Amino acid sequence: MKQVSINAIERAIEKIDNLDDDGLERVAETYAMAQDILLGYVLSAAEEYQNQELEGLLVYYFCIINEAYAQEQIRCGKVNEDMIEEFEEPFFEVLDQYFETEDEDLLFDFTEQSELIRFMMMEVSTPDEDGSTLNDETATQLFIVTAALTTLLSRAIQE
């Protein structure tokens, strides 16, 4: 399984963070068209959790994570509803085990993308450059959804 490296993540952040509003909209639209079912699944979490703040964060990290795969030159096929359905129950079991034990290896093994998971662990737990932090509930929700996103993309990798 090809791994997304920290260098690819850093290049993705650099690219996405330096886009103007039009550029960001084009990138988001490109990834949304390529992975419309996955984006719908990801964004449904904001409604399910009833968390407005989460939606904007999810779009941003959807772009970052997709761009990290692109920077690593990893091609992913389209995630479909069958893939999502097959993935959900084992994913939530792994999450339950992780939150009980805090054994990061459980997540690393399940997602098959340890650098992206480490990156998101840091993102949700450290203050931004301006010192702002996410509240615990939003941070946990963002982590869960981006871990799902990462896993589903990993399972869609085309060798």
Side-chain angles (χ1 to χ4, degrees), residues 50-124:
Q50 298 178 341
N51 185 338
Q52 292 284 21
E53 179 185 9
L54 189 59
E55 186 172 351
L57 291 166
L58 290 172
V59 170
Y60 173 75
Y61 286 105
F62 182 81
C63 291
I64 292 284
I65 291 169
N66 273 280
E67 183 62 31
Y69 277 88
Q71 289 291 326
E72 197 65 58
Q73 298 181 347
I74 298 174
R75 291 191 40 205
C76 296
K78 189 169 184 155
V79 173
N80 61 47
E81 292 189 18
D82 289 341
M83 292 170 72
I84 293 169
E85 193 173 307
E86 183 180 302
F87 141 90
E88 280 188 317
E89 188 177 326
F91 177 66
F92 289 117
E93 288 173 8
V94 167
L95 279 179
D96 287 344
Q97 291 174 352
Y98 167 71
F99 286 122
E100 285 176 21
T101 65
E102 296 185 19
D103 181 358
E104 295 172 352
D105 288 333
L106 290 168
L107 288 176
F108 298 155
D109 291 344
F110 186 80
T111 63
E112 299 179 336
Q113 292 294 335
S114 58
E115 292 301 331
L116 278 169
I117 297 301
R118 279 190 190 95
F119 163 69
M120 286 311 303
M121 286 175 170
M122 293 297 295
E123 286 291 290
V124 301

Side-chain angles (χ1 to χ4, degrees), residues 5 9 20-21 28 35 38 42 55 71 81 89 95-96 103 113 119 134 145 156 159:
S5 67
I9 297 167
D20 61 14
D21 288 343
Q35 293 288 355
L38 180 57
V42 165
E55 186 172 351
Q71 289 291 326
E81 292 189 18
E89 188 177 326
L95 279 179
D96 287 344
D103 181 358
Q113 292 294 335
F119 163 69
L134 296 173
V145 178
E159 297 293 332

